[in-house]
C-alpha cells in the first residue's frame, strides 16, 4: 500500500495516508475541520475544497457545478488522493470558532426570562446538593479501640454529622489509611448521594438515595466545593461552574461540539458510530470539547481543578449514548429503541474527562430515542411539571421536541424538522455566528432590503432566526405568496432565475466580498416551510392525542438557545408558533443547562428530574398518518387552515402588498 | 550496571540480573521457589542453597554453620552475585508440590465430622443462592412500544419472574442491545444479590439486598450455573466448584499459596508488601494460585469457564487485604488497625482472576486485624452462632484464633503461637506433606522410636501434628520432664548434646538417606511449649473476660486443616487443648472453605455471615498483662496449674516412667 502526503492550507497541516484515502477522512485524522453536514455521503455539498496540486480521483463527485469543478473545487468526501496533494480549505468550510455561541445577546422583551429570574420558575426546592463536604476529626486508634480505619471514619461521620448508611468507593478505600494518618486524623470527606441500585429500574423508584464517599482529603477543605454542569448539544456544548457552598454560577463557557466533523445531526453521527472505531472517536471528540470547557471554567474562575467534585450532563438521547459509550445503532432504525433511558453514574476519568479521579459523571435520564435528557432537564427548569396550568413546551431545532401537560401528566413527541432552523439545507445557510443575517426588512419604496448581521460584520449567510424574519417579511410585503413562491411581478431586480430555480438576492458579491451573490432560493423557502410545518403539526398532533386545542393552552414555553433569538411575532406570522395570546409565551433559553444546574443544587430536584423522565409518555409521530396529513397542511403561510391563525390572517389581509 | 546470569539447578532455569542482586530476589524473579520462612531477613536459615560455580559475596551470612559454609552452602537471601553463577537449590528448600495438602486422610474417630454431615451443623437455611439465572423472553420493540432495550428486559423480568428493583452493570449495558437482537429476544439473565450501598456501613445493616444484572446470554443457559469458593490460607489455597442448580460440590482443588516465596507468615508478607511493587506482587501471586485452582476445577468437572458466574473467598484479614489490593501496613503496627473489615465486591478480572468479565469476587468480612473472614466463615459453618450452647471455637495455626459464645453473643481473640504447629521454628520441621513424621511411639523395652510418616516414605522432617504426638510420648515415657528438658539418665544413645544444646535423634542419617541425623532439640521443644501455651492462655483469657471457665463449656469446635489431623488425647496431654469431657469436642476441618460454600448457596447465610462479623467483639491480647501471666504459666507440661488438667495429671502420675 502506497503512502501519500496531504497538506491542508491555509492551516498548513500535513498528514501521511494510504493512497485512495478520501480528503475528508484525511482531514479528520489530521484534526483539520471541514464542514460535512451529511457525514460524508456527498449529499450536502458543504465540504468543498480546492485541490491546489497533485492527483486526485473524483469520478462520482456529485453535487457540484461544472464551473466550480473547472476551478478545481471538489467535495472532500468524494475525492480520493492518488499522489501527494495540497488541499485548500475555503474559509466558509472551516468551523467558525472565533465567534462563540455566546456572541449574541438574548432578546429582552419581557417574555424572555432573564437568568436571575429563571430559578423562580421552579418552586419548593431548597438548597441541598447531592454533593456534600464534611470536615471530620477521627479518633486515632488505640489498643482498646482498634477497629478498622474505615469503621472509625464512618463512626466519626455518624457522631459529628449524623451521616450513616454510607458506602465507599473502592479506589478510595485503597488510599484511606495513608490519607487519614498523613492528615493526623483530621480530614474532609466528600460524598455524593446516589441511588445506583434502583436508578435503572425504570419502572420503579424506591429506596432513598444514600451517600457514597468518593474522596477523603487532608485538613478542612469544605470552603472549596465546586461542580460543573453541561448541556451536550448536537451543535454546541455549554458548561457552567457552580460554587456548591454559595450556589453561585462562577462562570459559563461554550464550544462547538467537535463531533460536528463527523456529521451535522444525530443521524449522520449514528451512521458514523457504526464505522470501525467510530463510537470511540465520537466519544473522545465530545469529551475533548468538554475538557476545553472545564479548563476554561476553572482557569477563569481561579478554582483548583481538584476541588471540582461532580459533573452533571444533559443532552439528547444520542448525545447521552455517545457520551457514556453506548451504541446508538437502534435509535436510528424503526422502531427506534435506545439501549437505555437511565444511565448509571460513571467515573468521569473513565471516559477521559480531565478531572480528579474520584469525580462521577451524572447523565440526565431520557424518555425515548428522540426525547432526551435535555428535554427532561428543560421541563424541570420550566417548572411546568409542578403547576396546574396546561403548558406546551417546545424546543425548536433540527429535531423538534414537544411536551404538553402539567403537574398531573406529561406527554411528549419529537418531529424531525430538518436542519433549516440551524442554517442547514439553505443555499447560504450558516450557524448563528458573526456575519449571519439576523434581522431583515424590506424598504417599501425601493423594495431594497435592510440587513443586520450578528456581530454587525459583512453578511456571510443566513441563520435560522434570520430566515424566519426574512420569510415573514417576504410574506408581509408580497415578495412571496402563501405557497412560498416568488411573485415575479415584483418590481425588483433581486428576484431572478438561478441554477436552482427562482431566487432572491439578499446581498450582491460586491457587498459581501465573497465570490458569489448571497441568495435565498425557492428551494430554501420550501425547506423552511417544511421545517415549520413539521414543528406545528407535531404540536397539533400531540394536543389532539389528549383532546386539546391550542386555545386550551395556558402557557407556551420556548426552550433552546435558538428560541432565545426568535422574534415571536415573526415566528407566529410564518405559522411556526400558534396564533394565541402573546403573553402566554415564555422564553427560557438553554433549559437543558438550566435544569442541569438545578439538579446539582438540589437533591429534591434531582429526584424530580428522574420522576419527570418516568412520567413522560412518548408518542411516536414519525409514521403516524394524522401527523403526515397535518404536516402537508402546514406547508403554507401561515397555514392552509386560516382559522388556526386568525390574527395573522387578519393582519395579512389588511396589509398593503408592495407588489 | 553490569548484568550477570544466575542459573538455578536442578530446575535449569537461568535469569539475567544486575550484579549485586541477592540469589533470593533472582529466584523470585525467575519463578524458582525457595523456602524463605522469614521473608529474606536471614533469620530462619531455611533458604540454603549451594553455590556450584561463580563468584558471590556473603559477608553477613548469618545462621549457617562453619562446616556447611565450607561445603558451599549459603543463605540465598544474604548472598549477592558478583559474576555468572550456578546455584543448586536443595530438595528440602524447594516447595513440595507433589504432595498436595489433600494427601492425608482426616481422622475419623467419631468426633471428626465427615463432610456430608457438616452442612447439618447449620440449620434453618434454605437453598437460595445470591447468584441466580433467569430465562426470559422479551417482547420485540414495535412503534407503539419502543421503550429502551433495558426497560423491556426489566419489564419481562418483572412479568415472568416477579423480579424488580434491579440494577445493571455498566459494561453489560454496552452490549445489551446486540445480545438481545442476536438472541432473537430470548435470553438468560444472571443476577447477583448485592448490598453494595450499606455493605460497608459497619455499624448498620439496613436495606434488603437487591439483584444486580451482571450477564445476559443468548438462549436458555439456566442449566449451567456454577460458582467457585475459596479458602485463602496463608499456607494453602483451597477451592471448590459448586453447581448452583443442584447445590452439589463438583470438585475440590488445592495449591500452596504462592505468596510463601515472599514470607511464611502474615507478618513477613506485610513487610514484603511495603517494598516497591510488593503489594502488587503479593496480589498477583495469590491470584496466580487461585487461577491454577480454577483451571483444575473446571477442567476436571468438564464445566465451561464462562458458566462460572461468581467467586467467594474467605481468608484472614491480611490475606483479604492482599487479595483485593489494600495496604496491610497498619495491621502490623500497634494498635493493629486494618483498612477495612468489610470489602466491597470487586470485578474478578480487575485483580487478574481468569474468569468471565462479568464475575464478581465476594470477600468474607473480617472482625479485626488478626480475626479474619476465615474465622467468621468457620463460625458460620459451625452453627455455634445459632445455638444456645456455650461454645469455644479454636483455629490452631501460626496465628491462633479463638471465639467463645453462642446465639446471644460472640467474643473473639487471636494469639500469636508462632509457626511451630506448621513445622516452622523446628530444626527438622516441615509442612504436613509426604515424609513428615505423623505418628510416633517409644518402645518400652529398647526405648527405640517407631515412626510413621505421611505417605509412608522415608522421614524427611516433623510436621505440627507429629510434633504434638512426639511431645506427648516423650512426656509419658519420661524422656522429657514437665519443663520440656531431656532426662539425661535415660538409657538411650539417642539423647545427646548437639550444636544447639540437648537433642533427641529421631532418625539417623543412614535411615533418612539425607546428610544429617533428624533430631528434635530442646529449643524445638521449648518452641512447641510456647506455642501451646499461647493457644491455651488465649482461651483462658477470653473465657475469663466473660467470667467463664473451661468446665462451663458445652462444646469445643476445632477448625482448620491442621485440626483435622490432631490426635485429641495427645493434644490434651501436652496442654494444648483443655482437659474436659472428650465428647464435647468436634472437629470440622476447613471451616473457612465450608462457610464460603454455605454463603454461596444461601442468601440468608450470607446475611448471617455479615451479622457474625458485626456481632463478634474482638479482645486484643497482645499487650494484655493477664495474658502474659497465663502464657508463662502454660510453658510447662501439661500446665503449672495441674488442677486445670486433672485427668492428664492423674494419668501421668500412674504411668510407669521408662527412665
Amino acid at each position: 500500500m502506497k503512502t501519500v502526503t496531504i497538506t491542508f492550507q491555509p492551516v498548513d497541516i500535513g498528514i501521511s495516508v494510504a493512497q485512495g484515502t478520501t480528503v475528508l477522512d484525511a482531514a479528520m485524522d489530521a484534526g483539520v475541520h471541514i464542514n460535512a453536514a451529511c457525514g460524508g455521503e456527498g449529499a450536502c455539498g458543504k465540504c468543498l475544497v480546492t485541490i491546489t496540486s497533485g492527483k486526485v480521483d473524483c469520478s462520482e463527485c456529485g453535487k457540484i457545478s461544472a464551473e466550480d469543478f473547472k476551478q478545481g473545487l471538489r467535495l472532500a468526501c468524494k475525492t480520493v488522493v492518488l499522489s501527494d496533494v495540497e488541499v485548500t480549505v475555503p474559509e466558509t468550510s472551516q468551523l467558525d470558532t472565533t465567534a462563540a455561541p455566546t456572541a449574541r445577546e438574548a432578546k429582552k422583551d419581557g417574555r424572555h426570562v432573564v437568568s436571575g429570574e429563571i430559578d423562580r420558575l421552579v418552586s419548593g426546592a431548597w438548597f441541598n446538593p447531592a454533593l456534600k463536604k464534611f470536615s471530620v476529626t477521627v479518633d486515632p486508634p488505640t489498643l482498646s479501640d482498634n477497629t478498622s480505619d474505615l469503621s472509625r471514619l464512618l463512626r466519626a461521620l455518624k457522631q459529628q454529622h449524623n451521616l450513616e448508611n454510607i458506602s465507599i468507593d473502592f479506589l478510595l478505600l485503597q488510599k484511606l489509611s495513608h490519607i487519614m494518618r498523613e492528615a493526623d486524623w483530621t480530614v474532609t470527606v466528600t460524598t455524593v448521594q446516589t441511588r445506583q441500585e434502583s436508578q435503572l429500574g425504570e419502572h420503579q423508584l424506591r429506596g432513598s438515595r444514600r451517600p457514597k464517599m468518593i474522596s477523603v482529603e487532608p485538613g478542612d477543605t469544605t470552603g472549596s466545593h465546586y461542580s460543573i454542569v453541561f448541556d451536550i448539544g448536537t451543535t454546541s456544548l455549554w458548561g457552567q461552574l457552580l460554587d456548591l457552598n454559595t450556589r453561585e454560577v462562577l462562570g459559563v463557557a461554550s464550544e462547538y461540539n467537535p463531533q460536528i466533523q463527523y456529521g451535522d445531526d444525530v443521524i449522520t453521527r449514528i451512521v458514523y458510530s457504526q464505522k470501525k472505531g467510530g463510537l470511540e472517536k465520537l466519544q473522545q471528540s465530545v469529551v475533548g470539547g468538554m475538557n476545553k470547557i472545564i479548563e476554561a471554567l476553572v482557569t477563569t474562575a481561579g478554582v483548583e481543578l481538584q476541588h471540582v467534585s461532580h459533573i452533571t450532563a444533559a443532552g439528547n438521547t444520542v448525545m447521552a449514548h455517545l457520551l457514556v459509550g453506548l451504541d446508538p445503532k437502534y435509535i436510528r432504525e424503526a422502531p427506534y429503541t435506545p439501549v437505555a433511558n437511565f444511565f448509571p453514574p460513571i467515573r468521569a476519568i473513565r471516559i477521559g474527562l480531565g478531572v480528579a479521579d474520584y469525580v462521577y459523571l451524572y447523565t440526565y435520564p431520557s424518555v425515548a430515542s428522540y426525547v432526551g435528557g435535555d428535554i427532561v432537564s428543560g421541563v424541570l427548569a420550566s417548572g411546568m411539571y409542578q403547576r396546574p396550568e396546561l403548558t406546551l413546551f417546545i424546543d425548536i431545532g433540527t429535531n423538534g421536541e414537544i411536551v404538553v401537560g402539567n403537574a398531573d401528566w406529561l406527554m411528549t413527541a419529537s418531529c424531525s424538522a430538518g436542519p433549516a432552523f440551524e442554517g442547514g439545507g439553505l443555499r447560504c445557510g450558516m450557524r448563528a455566528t458573526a456575519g449571519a443575517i439576523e434581522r431583515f426588512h424590506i424598504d417599501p419604496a425601493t423594495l431594497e432590503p435592510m440587513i443586520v448581521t450578528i456581530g454587525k460584520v459583512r453578511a456571510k449567510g443566513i441563520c435560522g432566526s434570520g430566515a424566519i424574519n426574512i420569510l415573514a417579511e417576504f410574506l408581509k410585503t408580497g415578495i412571496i405568496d402563501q405557497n412560498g413562491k416568488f411573485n415575479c411581478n415584483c418590481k425588483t431586480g433581486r428576484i431572478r432565475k438561478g441554477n436552482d430555480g427562482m431566487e432572491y438576492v439578499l446581498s450582491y458579491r460586491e457587498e459581501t466580498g465573497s465570490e458569489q451573490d448571497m441568495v435565498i432560493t425557492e428551494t430554501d423557502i420550501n425547506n423552511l416551510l417544511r421545517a415549520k410545518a413539521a414543528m406545528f403539526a407535531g404540536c397539533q398532533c400531540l394536543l389532539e392525542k389528549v383532546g386539546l386545542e391550542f386555545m386550551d393552552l395556558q402557557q407556551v414555553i420556548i426552550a433552546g438557545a435558538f428560541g432565545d433569538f426568535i422574534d415571536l411575532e415573526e415566528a407566529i406570522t410564518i405559522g411556526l408558533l400558534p396564533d394565541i395570546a402573546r403573553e402566554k409565551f415564555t422564553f427560557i433559553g438553554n433549559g437543558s443547562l438550566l435544569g442541569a444546574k438545578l439538579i446539582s443544587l438540589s437533591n429534591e430536584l434531582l429526584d424530580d428530574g428522574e420522576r419527570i423522565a418516568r412520567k413522560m409518555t412518548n408518542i411516536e409521530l414519525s409514521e403516524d398518518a394524522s401527523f403526515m396529513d397535518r404536516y402537508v397542511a402546514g406547508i403554507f403561510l401561515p397555514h392552509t387552515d386560516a382559522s388556526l391563525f386568525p390574527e395573522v390572517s387578519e393582519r395579512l389581509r389588511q396589509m398593503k402588498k408592495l407588489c
Side-chain angles (χ1 to χ4, degrees), chain A residues 335-633:
Chain A
Y336 321 113
T337 53
V339 176
N341 286 323
F342 281 66
F343 311 97
I346 57 175
R347 197 175 278 277
I349 54 165
R350 180 163 161 181
I351 62 168
L353 285 168
V355 287
D357 64 0
Y358 66 86
V359 173
Y360 276 81
L361 164 70
Y362 175 85
T363 308
Y364 240 104
S366 299
V367 176
S369 281
Y370 296 104
V371 180
D374 51 347
I375 301 307
V376 175
S377 187
V379 167
L380 176 99
S382 78
M384 68 178 278
Y385 72 102
Q386 296 178 324
R387 289 190 292 271
E389 288 87 6
L390 183 67
T391 304
L392 176 68
F393 176 100
I394 310 180
D395 189 314
I396 304 168
T398 303
N399 197 59
E401 291 98 351
I402 310 154
V403 183
V404 65
N406 58 18
D408 296 324
W409 56 276
L410 293 167
M411 301 269 285
T412 182
S414 73
C415 47
S416 179
F421 291 134
E422 303 196 16
L426 305 182
R427 170 82 75 84
C428 298
M430 66 181 285
R431 294 196 188 82
T433 54
I437 297 178
E438 195 181 21
R439 306 194 66 189
F440 183 79
H441 189 251
I442 302 273
D443 186 323
T446 62
L447 292 183
E448 281 301 285
M450 181 167 73
I451 285 173
V452 177
T453 64
I454 298 175
K456 310 279 190 302
V457 297
R458 268 192 183 189
K460 285 185 186 164
I462 312 165
C463 67
S465 56
I468 290 172
N469 292 344
I470 292 169
L471 209 59
E473 191 71 6
F474 279 179
L475 179 65
K476 288 186 287 185
T477 54
I479 283 181
I480 56 172
D481 63 18
Q482 288 188 289
N483 280 304
K485 303 292 174 203
F486 283 111
N487 179 350
C488 299
N489 300 327
C490 266
K491 284 171 190 141
T492 169
R494 287 185 179 259
I495 297 178
R496 68 185 190 194
K497 194 165 163 50
N499 294 336
D500 276 356
M502 298 305 291
E503 62 189 24
Y504 176 94
V505 183
L506 295 163
S507 200
Y508 290 101
R509 74 183 77 179
E510 308 84 66
E511 294 160 351
T512 61
S514 75
E515 294 181 12
Q516 291 175 23
D517 296 338
M518 185 180 304
V519 299
I520 183 161
T521 68
E522 265 185 15
T523 309
D524 292 347
I525 292 171
N526 194 37
N527 284 339
L528 286 163
L529 256 64
R530 289 176 183 278
K532 73 100 188 169
M535 286 298 311
F536 191 79
C539 294
Q540 273 185 299
C541 277
L542 193 58
L543 285 170
E544 191 193 19
K545 297 272 178 198
V546 289
L548 295 171
E549 295 179 29
F550 284 111
M551 53 182 290
D552 298 319
L553 293 173
Q554 295 167 282
Q555 188 177 32
V556 179
I557 289 171
I558 312 292
F562 169 70
D564 244 13
F565 303 101
I566 276 186
D567 185 305
L568 176 62
E569 206 53 55
E570 308 290 46
I572 296 175
T573 300
I574 67 160
L576 170 61
L577 297 176
D579 190 359
I580 57 174
R582 308 312 189 239
E583 64 271 16
K584 289 184 177 175
F585 288 86
T586 303
F587 292 77
I588 64 166
N590 189 336
S592 170
L593 187 66
L594 183 58
K597 171 187 150 192
L598 290 172
I599 64 165
S600 299
L601 297 177
S602 161
N603 258 324
E604 288 68 34
L605 292 182
L606 181 53
D607 283 344
D608 280 358
E610 296 183 1
R611 268 185 220 112
I612 291 169
R614 283 186 175 81
K615 194 173 168 182
M616 277 162 93
T617 308
N618 179 51
I619 304 292
E620 205 60 52
L621 295 181
S622 57
E623 300 180 23
D624 186 301
S626 148
F627 172 75
M628 282 310 291
D629 291 347
R630 293 179 183 285
Y631 166 64
V632 171

Side-chain angles (χ1 to χ4, degrees), chain A residues 254-402:
Chain A
S254 172
E255 286 282 337
Y256 276 106
N257 185 336
Q259 288 175 344
I260 287 174
Q261 63 189 297
Y262 304 111
D264 251 9
D265 55 37
V266 294
I267 297 301
T268 48
R269 293 197 203 159
I270 295 175
V271 171
Y272 188 84
S273 76
Q274 299 307 305
K275 297 186 180 175
K276 190 158 179 282
L279 184 56
E280 290 71 22
K281 271 193 191 168
L282 287 164
Q283 186 182 39
Q284 284 159 15
S285 148
V286 68
V287 166
M290 292 168 78
N291 283 340
K292 280 190 191 170
I293 291 177
I294 292 170
E295 208 188 316
L297 287 173
V298 296
T299 308
T300 308
V303 158
E304 274 187 77
L305 185 63
Q306 59 159 330
H307 291 133
V308 173
S309 321
H310 200 57
I311 294 181
T312 300
N316 65 48
T317 310
V318 176
M319 289 302 110
H321 275 61
L322 297 178
L323 177 61
V324 301
L326 296 178
D327 185 352
K329 182 176 182 192
Y330 301 104
I331 290 180
R332 183 175 163 244
E333 300 173 8
Y336 321 113
T337 53
V339 176
N341 286 323
F342 281 66
F343 311 97
I346 57 175
R347 197 175 278 277
I349 54 165
R350 180 163 161 181
I351 62 168
L353 285 168
V355 287
D357 64 0
Y358 66 86
V359 173
Y360 276 81
L361 164 70
Y362 175 85
T363 308
Y364 240 104
S366 299
V367 176
S369 281
Y370 296 104
V371 180
D374 51 347
I375 301 307
V376 175
S377 187
V379 167
L380 176 99
S382 78
M384 68 178 278
Y385 72 102
Q386 296 178 324
R387 289 190 292 271
E389 288 87 6
L390 183 67
T391 304
L392 176 68
F393 176 100
I394 310 180
D395 189 314
I396 304 168
T398 303
N399 197 59
E401 291 98 351
I402 310 154

